[in-house]
Amino acid sequence: MQKQIVARARVDDSFLPDNIHPVLKQIYASRGITDSTELNTTVASLHNYQSFGGMKAAVALLLKALSADKHIVIVGDFDADGATSTAVMILGLKMLGFRRVEFLVPNRFDFGYGLSPEMAELTVAQGAELIITVDNGISSIKGVEVAKKAGVEVLITDHHLPAEQLPNADAIINPNQLGCDFPSKHLAGVGVAFYLLLALRSEMRNQGYFADNKGPNIAQLLDLVALGTVADVVPLDANNRILVHQGLQRVRSGHCRPGIKAMIEVAKKDQSKLVASDFGFALGPRLNAAGRLDDMSLGISCLLTDDHNQAKHIAQQLDMLNKDRRDIEQGMQNEAQKVLNGLTMEGQIPDAICLYQADWHEGVIGIVAGRIKEQYHRPTAVFAQTANGELKGSARSIAGLHIRDIFEQLSGQHPELIKKFGGHAMAAGLTIGHSQYAAFKSAFESLIADIITEEQRTCTILTDGELPPELMNIEFAQLLKTSGPWGQAFPEPVFEGRFRLVSQRLVAQKHLKVMLQHPSGMALDGIYFNCDLSLWPNGALTHVQVAYTLDINEFRGQVSVQLLIKELLPFKP
């Protein structure tokens, strides 16, 4: 695979105030900041809930349920966004005075995603009088129909893209539904749930529900909102950055759920120095492991409990599940690699990668697809067989190739191939019949080959240019860490440089530890996590071009700057 490290083109940053470091000014401007107000991370800067389409109907439905003391069942999803959404909705409703609130979350192996007809029947049987979906429901046409026929009201809260036909729910709030004027279209499911609670509290204030005319502090839930937002990899627009920043502030100051504190401890992270990426790479995977291998009810229970000992016990269970997930994933990757080695023996990488093995675990196929996509820089679909004999697929794509739209195009060209699909530009899921795999693989590979460009075949690592050696210090590294939050569509600053490769060695059998010398003579440590072992270490190389983030390494009481290497390419001086 061809790779290149390229610096972003410089953009005008003169509109940003001079009290911002000049390097940061350019970084912000290159990420689309057009006004300094977009850098404001106070709660008061959040978009107002009043522009949310469907919010009045949703609030009225909840107030009616409160007045009648209705039995409410929250139907969640089996990922981190679904778990945090469920916890936020339950905790928030109870804070506002709702008594009869519980949750159900579908087991991915038995019920599949969302409010399916089977899930609706189970919820009705449990005595629900009002169903609230979180992080799902916008495509649950049949499930809502089952609930409505049983006389159960349905409130849908979701953020996924709606189809032309919407469910016949009593109320729907989704920033992406037609006619919704809410400015941020990138809220995660947990963000939508949070906004519903804000709107409900406001109306309850207006109607005099609270003796102090204030009501509970819904901001107490922002630690959960931040975790779900980052873990769901939604774009961190200005509004989402506020939600994440405020949640991180609560966590760092010790004001967070016992379950989050316990997961931080199990992950061996410093709570006072937690950053957004820790939500994505340390806490999120542990929470997701419950939904991938077992039952997300375990993860939700971790978030809901007020007992620190119980939280620690559940967090340890989640940690064990995550280790199991890693083992399963590694085994699947090794098996996939054997297939790919055959495909790439002549040095040619196929334009699309489609893989299936009968014994692969359906809870892990998305991670494996992501790893393969990262390694080969090609749209990748990985399939596993479900209990009913169908094939469930998870796909990951590259910039410029919208994978959900590709599935929609395939479905139009070959209506018999895909039973159902959904997703976003970079990630999507689908279900096909077992007998249709070969036909799908052929059609998928053919369509990608027709539309992919040479530029898209090249893996380009964008950087923020070279960093002067005088800024390669702990103070500037700390400034970068606290100038986010960084994440999807607002990436952490990545710099580039050419260095002499002084030394290199493997640590933990898969990470490359290097000593680099800057042209100024400065020596710097670097670590390249999960390096390509077919390329590294390479004793023949003396000079390398490096794309890196500036990091602070703390080891045995010593604090130093190190480079977290994103890409390492040889070059001749």
Side-chain angles (χ1 to χ4, degrees):
M1 175 179 57
Q2 186 176 353
K3 296 183 178 180
Q4 59 180 359
I5 297 172
V6 177
R8 300 172 187 269
R10 288 193 62 83
V11 295
D12 178 33
D13 59 16
S14 60
F15 56 88
L16 291 171
D18 291 335
N19 63 347
I20 298 176
H21 192 285
V23 173
L24 264 178
K25 285 174 67 172
Q26 182 61 204
I27 288 169
Y28 284 146
S30 70
R31 281 149 180 76
I33 296 296
T34 57
D35 190 288
S36 60
T37 59
E38 296 176 58
L39 299 173
N40 195 330
T41 52
T42 63
V43 171
S45 299
L46 283 170
H47 294 314
N48 195 291
Y49 65 84
Q50 291 179 339
S51 59
F52 236 115
M55 189 64 82
K56 287 184 178 180
V59 168
L61 192 64
L62 285 172
L63 286 177
K64 186 174 71 171
L66 177 62
S67 176
D69 193 27
K70 288 188 176 181
H71 179 202
I72 298 174
V73 176
I74 313 298
V75 176
D77 187 20
F78 40 64
D79 66 359
D81 187 17
T84 52
S85 300
T86 301
V88 162
M89 191 64 79
I90 289 177
L91 293 168
L93 289 177
K94 288 185 175 181
M95 288 165 65
L96 290 166
F98 291 76
R99 295 189 316 112
R100 302 169 64 205
V101 184
E102 57 183 333
F103 75 89
L104 282 175
V105 60
N107 182 303
R108 86 163 64 220
F109 311 107
D110 298 330
F111 292 100
Y113 169 75
L115 185 65
S116 62
E118 297 80 8
M119 195 67 189
E121 288 172 359
L122 183 63
T123 310
V124 169
Q126 195 158 311
E129 296 172 282
L130 170 62
I131 295 172
I132 304 176
T133 70
V134 289
D135 190 33
N136 75 91
I138 200 65
S139 61
S140 300
I141 294 169
K142 292 181 179 179
V144 171
E145 185 179 334
V146 169
K148 296 294 290 179
K149 281 184 177 179
V152 178
E153 294 176 314
V154 181
L155 165 56
I156 289 173
T157 77
D158 202 351
H159 69 121
H160 294 96
L161 296 176
E164 289 186 16
Q165 182 183 358
L166 296 178
N168 183 31
D170 295 271
I172 299 175
I173 55 170
N174 181 333
N176 291 300
Q177 70 176 314
L178 191 65
C180 180
D181 294 327
F182 188 74
S184 173
K185 303 301 182 183
H186 300 302
L187 281 177
V190 69
V192 178
F194 179 72
Y195 265 93
L196 174 58
L197 294 171
L198 291 179
L200 177 59
R201 183 189 60 178
S202 178
E203 184 57 29
M204 291 176 72
R205 280 176 179 169
N206 293 339
Q207 296 190 22
Y209 272 83
F210 310 119
D212 61 1
N213 203 34
K214 291 182 179 179
N217 181 14
I218 303 299
Q220 293 178 38
L221 303 173
L222 280 169
D223 56 340
L224 293 167
V225 176
L227 171 56
T229 298
V230 174
D232 208 45
V233 204
V234 293
L236 291 191
D237 60 12
N239 204 66
N240 278 339
R241 290 198 300 276
I242 296 172
L243 295 174
V244 173
H245 173 81
Q246 290 294 327
L248 279 170
Q249 290 291 89
R250 294 193 64 82
V251 173
R252 290 170 186 153
S253 64
H255 297 99
C256 65
R257 299 295 304 168
I260 288 182
K261 179 178 175 61
M263 284 192 288
I264 292 171
E265 291 174 358
V266 167
K268 296 181 172 57
K269 294 292 180 180
D270 185 337
Q271 184 171 337
S272 66
K273 298 178 181 178
L274 207 74
V275 293
S277 60
D278 292 323
F279 281 146
F281 294 106
L283 275 65
R286 285 171 169 81
L287 194 55
N288 274 324
R292 292 187 185 281
L293 301 187
D294 194 357
D295 185 343
M296 186 47 95
S297 297
L298 184 68
I300 296 169
S301 296
C302 185
L303 300 177
L304 287 176
T305 184
D306 291 317
D307 185 293
H308 288 269
N309 290 328
Q310 185 183 20
K312 187 66 177 288
H313 176 68
I314 299 175
Q316 289 169 341
Q317 289 180 268
L318 294 174
D319 189 55
M320 290 301 297
L321 283 172
N322 193 46
K323 289 174 181 174
D324 291 344
R325 185 271 304 169
R326 286 177 184 162
D327 291 342
I328 293 169
E329 176 196 337
Q330 188 60 58
M332 289 170 60
Q333 270 190 261
N334 291 341
E335 291 164 353
Q337 194 63 57
K338 292 176 185 176
V339 177
L340 291 168
N341 287 342
L343 294 176
T344 59
M345 282 179 62
E346 298 179 1
Q348 294 294 318
I349 302 172
D351 289 326
I353 296 171
C354 191
L355 299 170
Y356 159 65
Q357 193 161 302
D359 60 349
W360 280 353
H361 196 293
E362 65 175 279
V364 184
I365 53 175
I367 298 176
V368 174
R371 303 279 191 217
I372 294 171
K373 186 267 294 188
E374 289 297 323
Q375 182 177 355
Y376 290 97
H377 192 67
R378 293 293 188 271
T380 300
V382 177
F383 287 86
Q385 187 167 314
T386 65
N388 64 8
E390 294 178 330
L391 298 189
K392 180 180 179 182
S394 191
R396 299 294 182 268
S397 193
I398 59 177
L401 294 176
H402 193 300
I403 193 66
R404 185 207 168 275
D405 289 354
I406 286 169
F407 287 161
E408 185 171 25
Q409 188 174 346
L410 277 175
S411 185
Q413 294 173 351
H414 310 278
E416 75 288 352
L417 277 187
I418 303 176
K419 293 190 174 185
K420 58 183 178 180
F421 67 92
H424 305 283
M426 304 298 284
L430 73 162
T431 300
I432 64 175
H434 188 280
S435 63
Q436 296 289 0
Y437 174 71
F440 172 84
K441 182 176 186 293
S442 176
F444 178 61
E445 292 173 345
S446 177
L447 177 57
I448 298 296
D450 286 343
I451 62 177
I452 193 170
T453 66
E454 195 58 43
E455 182 180 2
Q456 290 166 341
R457 291 187 181 98
T458 301
C459 180
T460 300
I461 299 91
L462 282 177
T463 77
D464 295 288
E466 294 193 31
L467 192 63
E470 61 269 21
L471 293 181
M472 294 178 176
N473 56 52
I474 292 173
E475 292 74 22
F476 190 68
Q478 187 60 43
L479 175 64
L480 293 174
K481 280 185 177 292
T482 57
S483 297
W486 310 105
Q488 183 71 12
F490 198 76
E492 184 177 11
V494 175
F495 303 101
E496 65 175 271
R498 293 182 172 182
F499 300 85
R500 187 168 74 86
L501 184 57
V502 178
S503 65
Q504 52 181 310
R505 61 185 174 89
L506 282 181
V507 293
Q509 299 181 318
K510 58 181 179 180
H511 311 311
L512 188 70
K513 185 77 173 175
V514 298
M515 173 70 76
L516 302 170
Q517 186 179 51
H518 188 269
S520 66
M522 176 186 289
L524 294 155
D525 284 325
I527 183 76
Y528 190 5
F529 289 113
N530 298 304
C531 67
D532 187 341
L533 296 177
S534 68
L535 300 176
W536 303 102
N538 186 340
L541 289 179
T542 58
H543 290 78
V544 286
Q545 183 184 14
V546 184
Y548 64 90
T549 60
L550 201 62
D551 190 44
I552 300 173
N553 185 38
E554 299 183 32
F555 184 67
R556 294 178 179 173
Q558 298 293 315
V559 181
S560 61
V561 168
Q562 77 171 353
L563 310 186
L564 288 184
I565 297 172
K566 302 297 181 182
E567 191 54 67
L568 203 58
L569 300 178
F571 89 96
K572 292 182 179 180

